[in-house]
Amino acid sequence: MTCNHLLFGNKQKEKARTSEFSQTSSRDRTLHPKKIMDAGNGPGLPVNNKQRAMVPNKTRGEFTRNPRKDSEGLSETPDLEFEYADTDKWAAELSELYSYTEGPEFALNRKCFEEEFRAHVSDKKWIELDAAEHRAHAMRLLDSLEVIAREKRLKVARAILYMAQGTFAECSSEAEVQSWMRYNIFLLLDVGTFSALVELLNMEIDNSAACSSAVRKPAISLADSTDLRVLLNIMYLMVETIQQDDPADKPEWKIIRETFRTELGSPLFNNEPISVMLFGMVTKFCSGHAPHFPMKKVLLLLWKSILFTLGGFEQLQSIKIRKREELGLPPLPEDSIRVIRSMRAASPPASASDLIEQQQKRARREHKALIKQDNLDAFNEKDPYKADDSREDEDDNDDNDNSIETETFPLERDEVMPPPIPQPPSERVSLPKGLPWAPKVREKDIENFLESSRSKFIGYTLGSDTDTVVGLPRPIHESIKTLKQHKYVSIAEIQITKEEEFQKTPLSGGEEEVEMCATELLYQGILPSLPQYMIALLKILLAAAPTSKAKTDSINILADVLPEEMPTTVLQSMKLGVDVNRHKEIIVKAISAILLLLLKHFKLNHIYQFEYMAQHLVFANCIPLILKFFNQNIMSYITAKNSISVLDFPSCVVYELPELTAESLEAGDNNQFCWRNLFSCINLLRILNKLTKWKHSRTMMLVVFKSAPILKRALKVKQAMMQLYVLKLLKVQTKYLGRQWRKSNMKTMSAIYQKVRHRLNDDWAYGNDLDARPWDFQAEECALRASIERFNSRRYDKSHSNPDFLPVDNCLQSVLGQRVDLPEDFQMNYDLWLEREVFSKPISWEELLQ
C-alpha cells in the first residue's frame, strides 16, 4: 500500500462507492439553527437573505442595504499586506485606549498637573528638571493620592495620568511624547504608583453609591465613569508601555520590568492576580450591578495583563519546545509561526455573477475544446496562486436545504473550457516546493490502521500492539513504516496518560509536582468562577458584534463612549457614529485576543485546564456566536474605516487639529484594511478551530449550523493566515457535507490539500470515515466533563479529599508530643473533669492490656 493509497484510497472504489453518510448529513442539515439556538437560549444565526445583505452604516451605527455585490472585482485585489502579531504597533494600541469623545479631557489632565507642579516647583518645565527632582515630584503626587477628599484625589490622579501620557504639552513630536511616556512610566512604577492605583480601583469597584446611582439612571454617559476611567487609563498605559521590550532600555529598567511582570501575575493584590480582579469587574458589569463600568478599558487592561504575564505567541512556541524537551519528546517538525508567515493567499471563490459572465463569454467563443476531468490532476497542473483563478460558486440562499447540493463548478461537468488567458511573466508566482506542513499521525491512527489490516488479512486483532506485523503483506509493512516515521506525540497525550495513572493509583502514584508559573496561578484564581467569566465575555462579544441588533434586554457597552449631551449637528453625529463603531471593534479585538491567549496557555499548562475552559465556551454557545459574527459581508468589515487619524493619540495633542468636515470623515484613512478587524477575525477562527479540533460532536455542530457557506465567504479575504484557518474548519466537516458538495467545490478541496497539514490516513476528502456515525453530543461532552471534574477535584479541591487516603500518624511519641490547645473553661474545671471521666470510672486494666 503506497502513501497515495493511504491518503486518498482507491479511485475505482471511490467511484463505485456511495456516500454512506450523505443521507444522514443531509438529514442533519435540515435541522434549523433557530431550533438549536432556542433550545440553548443563545444567539441564533440569521438565516435569511435580507440579514445577509446588511452592512454597517458608519454614520449611524445601523445596518443598510449594500447595493453592490460582495465579490465585485475581488479577483483583481492584491494580497493584504498583513503581518499577524501579538498586538498592533505601540502607537495604535495607545490610541485605541481613548474614545474620541474623551478628547477634551487631555487638556483637563494637563491643567491638573500644572496646578500641582506650579505649587511645588518654580517656573521650570518638567523636561528641564533633573532625575532627583522628577522623583521627588512623583513621590509628592503619590502621597497626595491618599487624601480623603474625592475631588482632590481625582485631580491628583489626572496629574499622574498627564505624566503617563508623556507631558505632551512640552513635546514637539510624537516620538518625543513616546520617549517621555516611557521615562515617566518607569519612574511612576519605581516609586510604587501601581499598587496605590490597584487599591483605589478596588475602592471604586466596591463603591456602592456609584453603582446604585448608575443603576437608577435611564441613560449612562461618560461622566458616570470618570474616576474609573482615569485610574484604568494610567494602569493600561503602564502595562502597555512596560511590556514593550526596547533594546535601548537601561539595565535597571529591565530589572523593573521583570519584577513587575512577576508581581502582576502573582496573587499580591487582594491575594489574587490583577487579571482575576478585572474578570470580577466584567461579571459585575454583565450582571447589571455596575452598568457604569468602562468595559472597553477593563477588557484592554485585562488583555494586556494576560499578554504581559503569560507571554505572547513567540513565548508560547518557546514554552512548547522546552516542555517537549523535558518530557523527552522529539522536537517539533517545523516552526508554525514561520510557516504561516511564508504562506501566500489563494484566490477567493468566484461569485454567481462572475460565473454567469464567464459562461456567457464561453458561449460566444467559436473554437471550443472538450475537457473531461475525473480527479484533482487537472487542478494540480494549474498555478493555484494565479490572481485570475476563479473559484467555485457560492450559493447565498441558506434557507434552501438543498442549496449546498445544487452548487456546480464548470470543471466538474463535461463541458467546454476556454483556452487559458496569457499572463505577463512578472505576475506569475512560482509554485512552492512540496507541501508547507510535515504530515502527522497519532498513535491511535496507527492502531486503527493495524486493527483493520489484521481483521482483513488474518482475521484476528491484537489490541493496542503496534509492533507485531506477522502475517501482513509487504505493502502493509511499508505503510506502517511510513506512518511511524510521521508519528507525532503531543504534550496533551502525555498529560492525559499521567492523569489516568494518578487517578488509578492515588497512594502509590506519589505527589504531583505542579510548576507554580503565571498560567497556573491564573487558573487557580479564575477556577471557582470560570463559567461566569466565559458567559460574561461572550455576552459582551455578542453585544459588540456588527451582526447583532439592538435589543432592550442586551447589555449597554457604550457607557464609556456616549457624551453627556447628544450631538446636535450632522458632523457631530457622524463623528459619534465612527466612535461607536470603532469602540465595538476594539472590544471584539480585546475579547478575541483574551480567549485565544487563555486557551493556548491553558492547553500547554495542562490539557484539562484547556478542556474546562473550552467546554464552558461551548456550553455558552460560543460556536454559533462566532458563526453569527462571520455571517456578514466580511470584506466590508475588514476594510471598514472607523477611525479619524487626526483625533488619535498622540497626534491630537502634539499637532494643531485641522477642521473636520463630513467629507474627511467619510473618506477615512488610506489603509488597505483595518488591522484590528483582520486580527479579530483570525483570532475568532483560531478559537473555533481550538474548540472543534478532534471533537466529533462539535464538528457536527458546524455542519448543523450550516457553517460551510459562511466560511467559504470568508475565503474572499486574500490573507494567507485567515484562509488557512477557514480551510481547516472546512476540512474537518467535508466528509459530512455529501458528495455533491465536494464535487461542486473541488477548488476549495484543492486549496485544503495544498495549505492544510495532512494526517496520512485521515480520509477527510471522502465520506467513509469511522467517525461518520450518528453523533451523541451529550454522551461525548459528559465523558469529557467527568474527566475534567476528576482532575480539578484531585489537584485543587483538598477539602473533599477521601479521608481513607489521608496519611495516619501511628507513632505514640509524636502523637503524645503534639501540643493541643484546650479551651479556658476546660482548664478551669480540669479537676472536675478528672474526677468525672477518670477517677469515678472503673478501668479493667487486664482487659485493656489484652
Side-chain angles (χ1 to χ4, degrees):
M1 184 179 287
T2 63
C3 210
N4 236 358
H5 186 88
L6 276 171
L7 277 170
F8 296 105
N10 193 306
K11 188 171 76 177
Q12 285 77 19
K13 283 185 182 177
E14 173 56 28
K15 281 192 170 184
R17 184 193 302 149
T18 57
S19 177
E20 184 181 330
F21 190 70
S22 59
Q23 296 175 357
T24 313
S25 63
S26 61
R27 281 199 305 274
D28 286 342
R29 284 197 301 276
T30 60
L31 290 173
H32 202 286
K34 186 77 172 68
K35 294 177 184 175
I36 303 292
M37 298 313 305
D38 288 345
N41 292 327
L45 282 174
V47 291
N48 55 6
N49 289 330
K50 185 186 238 179
Q51 286 171 326
R52 189 174 300 106
M54 298 291 190
V55 295
N57 183 323
K58 289 184 288 189
T59 59
R60 296 189 302 276
E62 300 170 353
F63 291 88
T64 54
R65 291 290 244 169
N66 184 8
R68 296 178 49 145
K69 288 281 183 184
D70 288 350
S71 55
E72 276 185 5
L74 274 177
S75 57
E76 287 82 22
T77 55
D79 287 9
L80 300 181
E81 296 297 325
F82 171 84
E83 186 171 336
Y84 186 83
D86 295 320
T87 61
D88 201 350
K89 294 184 179 70
W90 186 36
E93 295 294 340
L94 294 178
S95 68
E96 288 179 356
L97 173 63
Y98 310 102
S99 61
Y100 297 141
T101 321
E102 291 179 88
E105 296 189 12
F106 289 119
L108 186 58
N109 299 340
R110 175 187 172 185
K111 183 184 173 187
C112 292
F113 174 82
E114 288 178 348
E115 285 177 3
E116 290 285 331
F117 192 63
R118 295 287 169 261
H120 299 95
V121 185
S122 61
D123 52 355
K124 278 186 178 182
K125 291 184 176 180
W126 173 261
I127 58 176
E128 294 171 355
L129 301 181
D130 58 23
E133 290 173 310
H134 284 153
R135 188 178 183 86
H137 189 66
M139 294 287 285
R140 272 194 296 270
L141 288 176
L142 187 58
D143 290 340
S144 304
L145 264 185
E146 298 178 3
V147 296
I148 299 172
R150 191 181 189 83
E151 292 78 14
K152 171 69 176 168
R153 202 165 60 230
L154 179 60
K155 277 189 175 182
V156 175
R158 283 195 180 281
I160 293 173
L161 176 55
Y162 177 72
M163 276 183 68
Q165 288 169 342
T167 52
F168 50 78
E170 301 170 20
C171 302
S172 57
S173 67
E174 292 184 33
E176 195 177 351
V177 172
Q178 291 173 2
S179 173
W180 275 104
M181 273 184 71
R182 199 164 182 78
Y183 173 82
N184 291 345
I185 282 171
F186 272 102
L187 173 65
L188 288 170
L189 182 65
D190 196 26
V191 299
T193 310
F194 196 83
S195 302
L197 292 171
V198 172
E199 289 177 15
L200 286 174
L201 184 62
N202 263 319
M203 283 173 53
E204 292 299 329
I205 293 169
D206 298 333
N207 187 347
S208 54
C211 293
S212 56
S213 169
V215 169
R216 288 195 301 270
K217 273 194 172 185
I220 300 168
S221 68
L222 209 61
D224 296 298
S225 59
T226 304
D227 292 32
L228 279 165
R229 281 188 295 106
V230 171
L231 295 174
L232 290 166
N233 280 345
I234 306 169
M235 293 170 75
Y236 176 86
L237 289 173
M238 292 181 78
V239 173
E240 174 60 23
T241 304
I242 290 164
Q243 76 159 344
Q244 300 288 331
D245 195 0
D246 191 342
D249 282 349
K250 305 171 190 173
E252 56 266 28
W253 284 9
K254 292 180 179 178
I255 295 168
I256 290 171
R257 177 190 294 111
E258 291 308 313
T259 307
F260 184 52
R261 187 205 303 272
T262 307
E263 288 177 355
L264 210 58
S266 303
L268 298 179
F269 308 105
N270 289 347
N271 294 322
E272 60 188 16
I274 188 78
S275 303
V276 179
M277 184 177 78
L278 295 170
F279 267 122
M281 290 184 74
V282 175
T283 49
K284 194 171 182 181
F285 170 80
C286 286
S287 65
H289 298 310
H292 65 298
F293 280 2
M295 208 28 57
K296 183 188 84 173
K297 296 181 191 297
V298 173
L299 290 168
L300 283 172
L301 179 57
L302 175 58
W303 168 33
K304 293 304 168 65
S305 300
I306 293 171
L307 179 63
F308 185 37
T309 53
L310 305 192
F313 301 115
E314 297 281 354
Q315 289 91 333
L316 273 163
Q317 189 76 359
S318 58
I319 294 169
K320 190 173 186 178
I321 292 167
R322 176 177 59 82
K323 287 212 166 191
R324 289 186 68 82
E325 285 177 0
E326 289 172 359
L327 294 171
L329 296 173
L332 294 166
E334 70 275 300
D335 185 346
S336 57
I337 297 172
R338 193 174 298 169
V339 172
I340 291 171
R341 282 177 181 166
S342 65
M343 290 177 78
R344 295 292 304 275
S347 299
S351 67
S353 60
D354 292 338
L355 289 176
I356 291 167
E357 192 177 335
Q358 287 173 13
Q359 288 171 359
Q360 288 171 349
K361 285 180 182 177
R362 194 178 299 121
R364 287 196 296 268
R365 287 196 175 90
E366 296 177 0
H367 303 290
K368 299 178 180 180
L370 281 171
I371 173 172
K372 198 165 189 174
Q373 181 193 342
D374 291 328
N375 55 20
L376 285 166
D377 296 339
F379 288 105
N380 294 339
E381 293 169 8
K382 296 181 70 178
D383 187 346
Y385 299 105
K386 279 167 66 175
D388 65 335
D389 195 12
S390 61
R391 292 236 172 174
E392 68 281 6
D393 184 13
E394 176 59 73
D395 191 343
D396 281 339
N397 185 6
D398 285 351
D399 292 325
N400 182 1
D401 290 331
N402 298 320
S403 60
I404 293 175
E405 303 294 337
T406 56
E407 292 180 337
T408 57
F409 187 76
L411 287 180
E412 268 65 72
R413 301 190 298 270
D414 298 345
E415 75 177 18
V416 293
M417 182 178 180
I421 301 168
Q423 291 287 331
S426 60
E427 291 187 13
R428 291 188 63 85
V429 179
S430 59
L431 279 166
K433 293 180 181 178
L435 297 169
W437 304 99
K440 286 181 181 178
V441 183
R442 293 182 300 171
E443 182 75 25
K444 181 185 171 186
D445 299 329
I446 300 175
E447 289 174 11
N448 290 339
F449 177 73
L450 267 170
E451 287 295 286
S452 61
S453 300
R454 286 171 184 149
S455 300
K456 181 178 178 181
F457 293 105
I458 306 173
Y460 68 89
T461 60
L462 292 175
S464 59
D465 182 357
T466 57
D467 297 321
T468 307
V469 290
V470 176
L472 297 175
R474 176 61 57 187
I476 298 293
H477 291 204
E478 293 175 7
S479 299
I480 294 165
K481 184 181 176 183
T482 305
L483 290 172
K484 286 187 174 181
Q485 281 175 352
H486 294 93
K487 186 172 85 166
Y488 177 79
V489 181
S490 66
I491 296 171
E493 290 175 67
I494 303 291
Q495 289 170 341
I496 289 170
T497 307
K498 283 186 176 179
E499 182 60 27
E500 286 172 355
E501 289 173 4
F502 278 122
Q503 297 291 349
K504 285 178 186 174
T505 56
L507 291 175
S508 59
E511 280 291 320
E512 183 186 13
E513 292 183 11
V514 181
E515 183 187 354
M516 297 308 289
C517 57
T519 310
E520 182 65 32
L521 291 169
L522 178 60
Y523 182 77
Q524 290 181 13
I526 66 173
L527 177 61
S529 306
L530 188 138
Q532 290 86 345
Y533 297 154
M534 295 304 108
I535 291 168
L537 286 176
L538 292 183
K539 272 186 177 180
I540 300 170
L541 182 62
L542 175 62
T547 48
S548 298
K549 291 185 175 170
K551 295 179 182 175
T552 52
D553 58 342
S554 64
I555 51 178
N556 176 23
I557 56 170
L558 304 177
D560 52 334
V561 71
L562 295 177
E564 285 186 272
E565 297 178 3
M566 293 308 285
T568 53
T569 65
V570 174
L571 185 65
Q572 288 175 342
S573 298
M574 289 180 70
K575 181 182 164 186
L576 184 59
V578 170
D579 207 2
V580 166
N581 286 338
R582 173 177 176 266
H583 183 82
K584 289 181 176 180
E585 289 171 3
I586 295 166
I587 286 176
V588 172
K589 171 188 174 182
I591 292 177
S592 65
I594 289 167
L595 292 176
L596 181 61
L597 272 175
L598 288 178
L599 285 170
K600 287 189 76 67
H601 276 284
F602 286 159
K603 189 172 185 180
L604 261 185
N605 199 50
H606 200 287
I607 184 64
Y608 283 131
Q609 294 177 351
F610 161 81
E611 295 291 5
Y612 185 54
M613 177 179 168
Q615 191 167 64
H616 280 292
L617 285 173
V618 172
F619 290 163
N621 279 327
C622 184
I623 292 175
L625 172 55
I626 294 175
L627 293 176
K628 178 183 173 116
F629 180 90
F630 279 97
N631 196 25
Q632 58 170 314
N633 185 340
I634 207 70
M635 278 303 294
S636 293
Y637 184 71
I638 281 168
T639 55
K641 297 185 184 299
N642 291 315
S643 59
I644 308 167
S645 54
V646 293
L647 296 180
D648 285 340
F649 178 86
S651 65
C652 65
V653 294
V654 175
Y655 309 114
E656 195 172 333
L657 287 178
E659 186 181 353
L660 290 175
T661 62
E663 290 75 21
S664 64
L665 289 183
E666 192 69 39
D669 52 31
N670 297 320
N671 293 333
Q672 186 190 16
F673 56 89
C674 177
W675 196 96
R676 65 172 165 266
N677 289 357
L678 190 46
F679 177 76
S680 303
C681 289
I682 292 172
N683 285 345
L684 290 172
L685 287 169
R686 294 183 75 179
I687 291 164
L688 203 51
N689 267 289
K690 290 246 170 263
L691 296 182
T692 54
K693 189 176 182 181
W694 303 122
K695 301 288 188 298
H696 175 64
S697 58
R698 296 178 193 174
T699 303
M700 293 307 300
M701 286 176 74
L702 292 177
V703 179
V704 169
F705 289 136
K706 297 183 180 178
S707 65
I710 297 169
L711 293 169
K712 272 184 62 189
R713 279 198 295 277
L715 285 174
K716 291 175 182 175
V717 180
K718 288 195 71 177
Q719 205 284 323
M721 190 172 186
M722 182 165 169
Q723 286 185 346
L724 172 67
Y725 289 108
V726 171
L727 292 170
K728 279 186 173 187
L729 288 166
L730 286 170
K731 178 185 175 180
V732 295
Q733 52 179 317
T734 47
K735 53 177 165 279
Y736 309 124
L737 294 174
R739 284 185 71 182
Q740 185 60 44
W741 188 92
R742 296 194 293 273
K743 186 179 175 184
S744 305
N745 293 278
M746 288 304 287
K747 272 304 195 57
T748 304
M749 302 284 281
S750 181
I752 292 170
Y753 178 84
Q754 289 161 356
K755 293 182 179 298
V756 183
R757 188 192 300 278
H758 288 285
R759 300 276 171 174
L760 286 182
N761 49 355
D762 175 19
D763 214 357
W764 64 270
Y766 307 107
N768 60 344
D769 188 73
L770 293 172
D771 284 341
R773 60 184 185 274
W775 54 294
D776 187 350
F777 176 85
Q778 198 170 6
E780 198 170 321
E781 294 294 340
C782 282
L784 179 61
R785 189 174 191 172
S787 300
I788 295 165
E789 285 177 353
R790 283 195 296 270
F791 164 76
N792 283 334
S793 175
R794 180 190 65 79
R795 191 188 268 199
Y796 303 111
D797 193 4
K798 302 299 181 186
S799 58
H800 292 88
S801 54
N802 193 329
D804 294 336
F805 293 155
L806 293 175
V808 177
D809 189 356
N810 293 316
C811 178
L812 189 64
Q813 279 187 324
S814 64
V815 171
L816 293 175
Q818 287 178 2
R819 179 177 175 79
V820 180
D821 292 326
L822 301 171
E824 284 186 21
D825 57 340
F826 180 82
Q827 292 179 27
M828 291 173 64
N829 300 301
Y830 180 60
D831 296 336
L832 201 64
W833 180 84
L834 276 175
E835 185 64 38
R836 189 179 66 240
E837 297 292 333
V838 180
F839 300 143
S840 63
K841 288 192 176 181
I843 298 172
S844 176
W845 294 102
E846 289 80 6
E847 288 182 18
L848 189 65
L849 291 171
Q850 287 174 2

